[in-house]
Amino acid sequence: MTPYFTLYTPTYNRGHLLPRVYGSLLAQDDRDFEWLVIDDGSSDDTAARVQAWAAEAPFPVRYVRQENQGKHMATNRAVELALGQMFVIVDSDDWLAEGALGAIRATWESIPATERGRYAGIAGLFLDPGGQPVTRLFPADPCDCSSVDMEYRHGVTGEIAMATRTEVRRQYPFPEHLGRYCMPSLVWNRIAARYLTRYLNTPLQYKEYQEQGITLGGVAKKLRLSPEAFRIRNRELLELGFSLPEKTRSKAMRLWARASFHAGLGFAAQWRELAGTGLRGLWLAQVLKARRDYGRDLGQLAEQGGKP
């Protein structure tokens, strides 16, 4: 029998944090899950820890190692390998709240079977280690809307704990040709163009940001690593047909132009690329600000010892 959930943990030299993840899995009332760990080229004791747990755990544990390619590549592999019908990312610096899986299953099964095809999955709250929500509460409980509407219409930003249908994740893999970093919103925006999510003001996971983690990394460094990912994400946000506030549209265009400068595309190249899109007026209003942002990025990277 296949498990109801695939709990996926991407990790890179985080062996010391994994006992907390494992302990939170042991504490779940709903044990109908597998734990899939994708090791993105660690040089610490991650393999030994996970393999020891695999020998004793009361649920299936799978350990897969790959050469260091980035979290988005590890996630694509995990989605391909997942056996569960619901896919839940539990990062190495996260851990599940007590009863999280039971709450996800109960909520999903409360949606009539004939309606579930409209939904990507279930979302809930992240808490910090002190038990306070990492983001603001959702406007209703439950609240059905797309992830884009939740962020730009309801103003709920930041990380949200998600359980997504595995088949939906397989429809929308991360692009694998865009460099070392690809922001999750690139994928979530594509999903939002087709699917709703049911949001709950229920704690599903805890999060403790690490000093060297991806989330706390500087935007300038990410732009330098993967400018094309930022270009695609922001161009799509403007063109996928969402009803966005003008402030959001301006910010997306400014970031698209800023990423374009990082990609080596100057004013003329950007102007040509936007021919026939109806976005040139928005670009004209934002491009000088974007160029200033790009200049600041170069200064920040130089201070950090990066190559501008």
Side-chain angles (χ1 to χ4, degrees):
M1 294 180 63
T2 58
Y4 195 86
F5 297 97
T6 290
L7 308 181
Y8 154 59
T9 299
T11 187
Y12 175 68
N13 288 335
R14 293 280 187 83
H16 62 290
L17 294 178
L18 295 178
R20 188 168 57 184
V21 181
Y22 180 59
S24 76
L25 306 191
L26 289 173
Q28 294 300 306
D29 294 331
D30 190 328
R31 290 280 183 85
D32 191 5
F33 63 84
E34 62 168 347
W35 187 26
L36 175 58
V37 179
I38 306 291
D39 184 348
D40 193 34
S42 296
S43 58
D44 64 1
D45 62 349
T46 292
R49 288 178 183 267
V50 177
Q51 288 165 0
W53 291 326
E56 68 177 27
F59 46 81
V61 178
R62 290 194 286 159
Y63 170 82
V64 177
R65 179 182 172 83
Q66 66 179 30
E67 293 304 312
N68 184 252
Q69 301 174 63
K71 182 179 176 180
H72 64 296
M73 298 286 280
T75 299
N76 279 355
R77 189 168 187 188
V79 170
E80 291 174 1
L81 295 172
L83 300 178
Q85 63 174 291
M86 299 294 284
F87 186 82
V88 182
I89 300 177
V90 187
D91 282 333
S92 55
D93 54 357
D94 301 344
W95 62 100
L96 289 178
E98 185 175 348
L101 299 184
I104 293 168
R105 187 199 288 255
T107 302
W108 181 251
E109 293 181 352
S110 72
I111 300 173
T114 55
E115 295 293 314
R116 291 176 196 162
R118 301 170 54 222
Y119 290 82
I122 306 299
L125 301 179
F126 266 116
L127 304 182
D128 66 21
Q132 297 301 309
V134 172
T135 59
R136 58 181 286 190
L137 298 180
F138 305 122
D141 189 10
C143 182
D144 291 352
C145 66
S146 75
S147 59
V148 167
D149 278 344
M150 182 57 72
E151 180 170 359
Y152 299 115
R153 184 160 62 90
H154 297 300
V156 179
T157 60
E159 295 197 63
I160 294 170
M162 298 288 297
T164 314
R165 285 194 289 143
T166 304
E167 63 182 276
V168 171
R169 292 300 307 238
R170 288 189 177 131
Q171 292 171 29
Y172 298 95
F174 283 101
E176 296 191 351
H177 62 286
L178 301 181
R180 299 284 296 173
Y181 175 76
C182 187
M183 64 291 297
S185 59
L186 186 153
V187 166
W188 288 116
N189 291 348
R190 293 175 177 182
I191 292 173
R194 181 175 176 185
Y195 293 103
L196 301 172
T197 295
R198 175 155 291 184
Y199 292 87
L200 309 172
N201 284 322
T202 300
L204 297 181
Q205 295 193 45
Y206 289 85
K207 176 171 288 294
E208 183 177 54
Y209 293 112
Q210 304 300 302
E211 190 65 30
Q212 300 300 319
I214 291 175
T215 306
L216 292 182
V219 173
K221 183 177 180 181
K222 295 172 185 174
L223 280 162
R224 175 56 64 190
L225 286 171
S226 304
E228 196 61 30
F230 283 85
R231 279 170 34 82
I232 291 173
R233 182 265 185 193
N234 287 284
R235 175 82 176 264
E236 287 186 354
L237 183 61
L238 292 167
E239 294 184 331
L240 279 172
F242 300 117
S243 178
L244 300 172
E246 193 57 34
K247 181 178 180 181
T248 299
R249 287 173 49 79
S250 296
K251 182 178 179 181
M253 177 53 74
R254 183 172 175 176
L255 190 50
W256 178 84
R258 178 180 172 188
S260 296
F261 287 121
H262 277 280
L265 300 172
F267 294 97
Q270 293 179 42
W271 178 257
R272 288 193 298 270
E273 186 172 332
L274 295 177
T277 65
L279 295 173
R280 279 180 163 179
L282 186 60
W283 178 82
L284 285 170
Q286 298 299 320
V287 67
L288 293 181
K289 297 176 184 177
R291 184 61 180 80
R292 289 195 294 268
D293 292 342
Y294 170 65
R296 284 193 289 267
D297 291 341
L298 297 185
Q300 181 180 335
L301 290 167
E303 290 177 2
Q304 295 172 353
K307 294 181 180 180

